[in-house]
Amino acid sequence: MKTKLQQKIDLKTKPIGALGMLEKLAHQIGSIQNTETPILNNPTLVVFAGDHGIANEGVSAYPQEVTYQMLFNFLNEGAAINVFSKQHHLDLKIVDAGVNFDFEPDQKLIYNKVNHGTKSFLNARAMSAEEFQECLQKGRAVVKDIALQNTNIIGFGEMGIGNTSSSAMLMSYLCDLPIEDCVGKGTGINEQQVKQKIEILQQAKTFHGDLNTTEEVFAVFGGFEMAQMCGAMLEALKHNMIILVDGFIATAVFLAAYKMNPEIINNAIFCHQSDEKGHARLLRYLKADPILKLGLRLGEGTGCALAYPLIESAVNFLNDMASFESAGVSEKS
Amino acid sequence: MKTKLQQKIDLKTKPIGALGMLEKLAHQIGSIQNTETPILNNPTLVVFAGDHGIANEGVSAYPQEVTYQMLFNFLNEGAAINVFSKQHHLDLKIVDAGVNFDFEPDQKLIYNKVNHGTKSFLNARAMSAEEFQECLQKGRAVVKDIALQNTNIIGFGEMGIGNTSSSAMLMSYLCDLPIEDCVGKGTGINEQQVKQKIEILQQAKTFHGDLNTTEEVFAVFGGFEMAQMCGAMLEALKHNMIILVDGFIATAVFLAAYKMNPEIINNAIFCHQSDEKGHARLLRYLKADPILKLGLRLGEGTGCALAYPLIESAVNFLNDMASFESAGVSEKS
């Protein structure tokens, strides 16, 4: 039997299903909020930044210092995510989860540093089990604070040179896929460099061998920004927020959060399918149907910010469009 | 050699090409406006409505009176296009191009009626050559007025029960494709009805035989709302506006405008690939790469309205993002 929510969607002045993806979103959001008149409160975007030991092993097009330089760029409102957050009135928070740089105190920065970057997982565990747990807690704390502002929709972005490599490892282990299915050109390495990246990551798989739990895989290969994002996603679920999932890295983090608590899928909106090679496959694994496919490969939460107005449109049509009856329009003959 | 515009895009603090589609849009808009600092002025959306004789031949899921009923819905701000235009502050204009209903004077309605609906093209020409020319002029006049408000970006929508049939005929003749490649389920007919629609349209092709010019094809099969939109698109080009192309019907109209003046392609942004069967093929014919694929099949200009914030994002990143130099970020190693 049709839910009242689905009935309301179907009786709007349009052919059944004619708003496509927006109808699915309206149904999902109404279901999350258990209402036929959902609202989006104080939409927030949190960007977690952290450094990766693996970045120094020849897997990335950019040097590690770009992480802290980009963090300054975020604070100075010069990055893509600043521009798009401002456009859509998203409350943007920047978190130092573990950048290899000591920032002066800055009101705009959430100082959540666990360490000055992870170790290279080529020959060590990226972080200890304790550091991983600390990340989960610190990520949760960020969202707990945000929940006090009545935020009910939250997106997550990341900055960390090397983190497509970490994400590829998470995907390879947690989806049980060969590493070459999970590796792409990241911020822009060429084909020869992609081959090298695959070789390096294969070496790391050989070095670490089988791992038993999601938590262990995450600690061995993950980044501090990724682990904090994972805690933040789990906390967002606890507050029944709508969770906006960005590109490849955020989806790999989401995958881990999903393994820890499968219910999180109900609250997740997949915002953008990135050009990064593994992302389409990872989304298929999660049976996710992303809103946008703009060929972005930037991270920072840009996919979330750009998809936001479409999510808002889904809520708006549900609340504001006339029904056949109220508008006096004839139904299908 | 790279243009200055492309250089500016490439020096923003992001990997080369990492904003995907938005970079293409920024380049196109900068090229149209011949500047590295484009602006979007008074964005406007015009919805043309008209009735079709063919609607009474069993090609549509809805009765003809839905056209005028939906026009009232537009005027009362209850339709999807009202909701989305309001969300994005688009100036929405509604035009009666040839609806089979006499509206009382209403300040919100542009009274551009050419006739009370077209004739059924199953056994007559939908409109005369004179009516077609009148439509072009009336469509142009709407845009001439809008140009006085300094509008430099304009989208077009339509409402007209039966107009996917008209559009399929335009596509079939102007792209030289069999009718079955151009026909879909419109507002929601079933498979059996699609077969019937194809048969009816094939009969019409047989009845009218070869036709010599784009103008003749348009007059024989088109709708008043479509012909006025065609004039409006050509006038928008004359004012060097950015032209937002909506779904299947608007793209079929654009195809005709393109045959009349191929330069129009430079100013066109294809907003959404609809679920209507012929649309993907038609976009391929035009070598168009649409921004969104949300599975909409509604018309009204909804694809334009929903894509608008992404077009704005393209302009915003070009104007507001920092460059590597200004932000002190290291470039690719």
Side-chain angles (χ1 to χ4, degrees):
Chain A
M1 221 189 74
K2 261 190 205 175
T3 59
K4 274 182 78 179
L5 181 58
Q6 190 60 51
Q7 274 179 337
K8 185 175 176 190
I9 292 169
D10 288 348
L11 291 175
K12 296 294 183 180
T13 45
K14 54 164 189 58
I16 300 267
L19 281 172
M21 169 75 76
L22 297 191
E23 298 197 19
K24 289 186 207 165
L25 288 171
H27 192 271
Q28 184 186 4
I29 293 169
S31 300
I32 291 169
Q33 298 186 2
N34 194 23
T35 176
E36 288 136 50
T37 53
I39 46 168
L40 304 178
N41 260 338
N42 191 30
T44 299
L45 218 146
V46 186
V47 180
F48 294 94
D51 272 311
H52 291 253
I54 197 70
N56 301 316
E57 310 280 6
V59 294
S60 177
Y62 287 83
Q64 193 184 64
E65 69 249 30
V66 166
T67 305
Y68 85 78
Q69 291 166 346
M70 280 301 295
L71 208 140
F72 277 117
N73 198 19
F74 296 149
L75 297 174
N76 293 326
E77 307 195 3
I81 192 57
N82 299 100
V83 173
F84 303 148
S85 294
K86 191 174 167 193
Q87 181 184 346
H88 299 307
H89 311 288
L90 307 177
D91 194 355
L92 179 63
K93 314 268 188 196
I94 310 297
V95 181
D96 172 12
V99 179
N100 188 18
F101 185 86
D102 289 308
F103 297 93
E104 301 290 315
D106 184 324
Q107 281 198 325
K108 287 191 281 187
L109 180 64
I110 298 175
Y111 194 88
N112 246 5
K113 195 193 290 290
V114 170
N115 210 328
H116 290 75
T118 56
K119 291 181 187 148
S120 167
F121 59 70
L122 195 51
N123 43 37
R125 297 192 161 212
M127 67 184 88
S128 67
E130 292 71 28
E131 283 175 325
F132 177 66
Q133 290 302 327
E134 187 185 344
C135 281
L136 290 184
Q137 289 317 313
K138 285 194 148 133
R140 281 186 178 273
V142 171
V143 173
K144 256 180 222 162
D145 279 353
I146 291 168
L148 298 176
Q149 315 299 316
N150 283 324
T151 290
N152 67 5
I153 178 164
I154 192 163
F156 299 105
E158 42 56 48
M159 176 70 218
I161 296 297
N163 66 9
T164 59
S165 290
S166 283
S167 301
M169 295 304 277
L170 260 64
M171 178 180 169
S172 177
Y173 271 82
L174 300 179
C175 300
D176 199 17
L177 286 170
I179 190 69
E180 55 267 32
D181 287 2
C182 311
V183 172
K185 60 185 175 174
T187 46
I189 55 176
N190 61 33
E191 271 186 48
Q192 181 53 41
Q193 291 166 313
V194 170
K195 274 190 197 161
Q196 189 187 322
K197 183 173 170 182
I198 290 171
E199 277 168 30
I200 291 167
L201 298 187
Q202 189 53 58
Q203 274 179 48
K205 279 192 84 163
T206 307
F207 179 81
H208 291 286
D210 287 345
L211 298 169
N212 292 320
T213 64
T214 301
E215 287 79 358
E216 195 179 6
V217 170
F218 212 135
V220 169
F221 300 113
F224 297 128
E225 85 285 22
M226 294 167 65
Q228 293 204 11
M229 189 194 287
C230 184
M233 284 177 172
L234 292 166
E235 186 70 19
L237 176 65
K238 196 172 153 190
H239 296 273
N240 195 33
M241 295 177 184
I242 300 159
I243 299 169
L244 306 182
V245 183
D246 193 42
F248 180 58
I249 295 128
T251 309
V253 171
F254 179 85
L255 171 71
Y258 170 70
K259 296 279 179 183
M260 296 179 195
N261 186 349
E263 281 184 21
I264 199 168
I265 199 88
N266 300 324
N267 286 49
I269 293 178
F270 296 87
C271 292
H272 177 260
Q273 178 178 315
S274 123
D275 245 20
E276 179 68 4
K277 186 187 161 197
H279 199 208
R281 182 75 184 258
L282 182 51
L283 289 167
R284 273 207 308 282
Y285 180 89
L286 290 163
K287 299 185 179 62
D289 186 15
I291 301 175
L292 297 171
K293 291 181 192 170
L294 298 174
L296 309 179
R297 39 184 185 79
L298 183 56
E300 302 179 6
T302 46
C304 302
L306 293 170
Y308 183 75
L310 292 165
I311 296 163
E312 206 169 33
S313 293
V315 170
N316 289 349
F317 98 73
L318 184 59
N319 288 322
D320 300 339
M321 261 180 84
S323 69
F324 281 100
E325 194 180 340
S326 74
V329 175
S330 305
E331 293 199 50
K332 200 166 155 177
S333 53
Chain B
M1 220 188 75
K2 262 190 206 176
T3 59
K4 275 181 79 178
L5 180 59
Q6 190 60 52
Q7 273 179 339
K8 185 176 176 188
I9 292 169
D10 289 347
L11 291 175
K12 295 294 184 182
T13 47
K14 55 163 189 59
I16 300 268
L19 282 173
M21 170 74 78
L22 297 191
E23 299 197 20
K24 288 186 208 166
L25 289 170
H27 192 271
Q28 184 187 4
I29 293 169
S31 300
I32 291 169
Q33 298 186 1
N34 194 23
T35 176
E36 289 136 50
T37 54
I39 47 169
L40 304 178
N41 259 338
N42 191 30
T44 299
L45 218 147
V46 186
V47 179
F48 295 94
D51 271 312
H52 292 252
I54 196 71
N56 300 318
E57 310 280 6
V59 294
S60 179
Y62 287 84
Q64 193 184 64
E65 68 251 29
V66 166
T67 305
Y68 84 78
Q69 291 167 345
M70 280 301 294
L71 208 140
F72 277 117
N73 198 20
F74 297 149
L75 296 175
N76 294 327
E77 307 195 2
I81 192 58
N82 299 100
V83 173
F84 303 148
S85 294
K86 192 174 167 192
Q87 181 184 347
H88 299 307
H89 311 289
L90 306 177
D91 194 355
L92 179 64
K93 315 267 189 196
I94 310 296
V95 181
D96 172 12
V99 179
N100 188 17
F101 185 86
D102 288 307
F103 297 94
E104 301 290 314
D106 184 324
Q107 279 199 326
K108 288 192 280 185
L109 180 64
I110 299 174
Y111 194 88
N112 246 4
K113 195 192 291 289
V114 170
N115 211 327
H116 288 75
T118 56
K119 291 181 187 148
S120 167
F121 59 71
L122 195 51
N123 43 37
R125 299 193 159 209
M127 67 184 87
S128 66
E130 292 70 31
E131 283 176 323
F132 178 66
Q133 290 302 326
E134 187 185 343
C135 281
L136 290 184
Q137 289 317 312
K138 284 195 150 135
R140 281 185 178 273
V142 172
V143 173
K144 256 179 222 161
D145 278 352
I146 291 168
L148 299 176
Q149 316 299 316
N150 283 323
T151 290
N152 66 5
I153 177 164
I154 192 162
F156 300 106
E158 43 56 50
M159 177 69 218
I161 296 298
N163 66 10
T164 59
S165 290
S166 283
S167 301
M169 295 304 277
L170 260 63
M171 179 180 167
S172 177
Y173 270 82
L174 300 180
C175 300
D176 198 17
L177 285 169
I179 191 69
E180 54 267 35
D181 288 1
C182 311
V183 171
K185 60 185 174 172
T187 46
I189 55 177
N190 62 32
E191 270 186 49
Q192 181 53 40
Q193 292 167 312
V194 170
K195 274 190 196 160
Q196 188 186 326
K197 184 172 170 183
I198 290 172
E199 277 169 30
I200 291 168
L201 299 187
Q202 188 56 55
Q203 275 179 49
K205 278 192 84 163
T206 307
F207 179 82
H208 291 285
D210 287 344
L211 298 169
N212 292 319
T213 64
T214 301
E215 287 79 356
E216 196 179 6
V217 171
F218 212 135
V220 169
F221 299 112
F224 297 128
E225 84 286 21
M226 294 168 65
Q228 292 203 12
M229 188 193 288
C230 185
M233 284 178 172
L234 291 166
E235 185 71 17
L237 176 65
K238 195 172 155 191
H239 296 273
N240 195 33
M241 294 177 184
I242 300 160
I243 299 168
L244 306 182
V245 183
D246 193 42
F248 180 58
I249 294 129
T251 309
V253 170
F254 179 85
L255 171 71
Y258 169 71
K259 296 278 179 184
M260 296 179 195
N261 186 350
E263 281 184 21
I264 199 168
I265 199 89
N266 300 322
N267 285 49
I269 293 178
F270 296 87
C271 291
H272 177 260
Q273 178 177 315
S274 123
D275 246 18
E276 178 68 6
K277 187 187 161 197
H279 199 208
R281 182 76 184 256
L282 181 52
L283 289 167
R284 272 207 309 284
Y285 180 88
L286 290 163
K287 297 184 178 63
D289 186 15
I291 301 175
L292 296 171
K293 291 180 191 169
L294 298 174
L296 310 178
R297 40 185 184 80
L298 183 56
E300 302 180 4
T302 47
C304 301
L306 293 170
Y308 183 75
L310 293 164
I311 296 163
E312 205 170 34
S313 293
V315 169
N316 289 349
F317 98 75
L318 185 60
N319 287 323
D320 299 339
M321 261 181 83
S323 68
F324 281 100
E325 195 180 338
S326 74
V329 175
S330 305
E331 292 199 52
K332 201 167 155 177
S333 52

